[in-house]
Amino acid sequence: MHRKAVRYATRTTTAAAGAVAGAASSVAAAAVAAAIIFSPVPDASARMEGVHEDLLRAVQLNQITEDQAVKFEARLAGRILGGA
């Protein structure tokens, strides 16, 4: 009978620890989501500057060609700046 009690205590302690960890990760995820939702939206020129830097880095890493970067940046500029 003593073994059963030890196993029960171990299982319930493990389950409780898992529940606490799950709740903590849910709270952390909610905090990150709130930070994203309530963060200020950058203006169009700042967004385009970020796009340009990201595309330049992709070209340097040989992930895309320079022509692809230019075309993609122009397409995004039309959407980002055109909608402003």
Side-chain angles (χ1 to χ4, degrees), residues 6-64:
V6 170
R7 276 190 244 152
Y8 176 77
T10 302
R11 280 196 306 246
T12 55
T13 303
T14 302
V20 169
S25 65
S26 294
V27 169
V32 169
I36 291 170
I37 291 170
F38 295 116
S39 64
V41 176
D43 65 340
S45 62
R47 289 177 65 194
M48 283 309 303
E49 185 176 317
V51 166
H52 179 75
E53 290 172 5
D54 289 345
L55 290 172
L56 181 62
R57 180 79 174 139
V59 170
Q60 290 171 347
L61 294 173
N62 293 321
Q63 294 173 332
I64 60 174

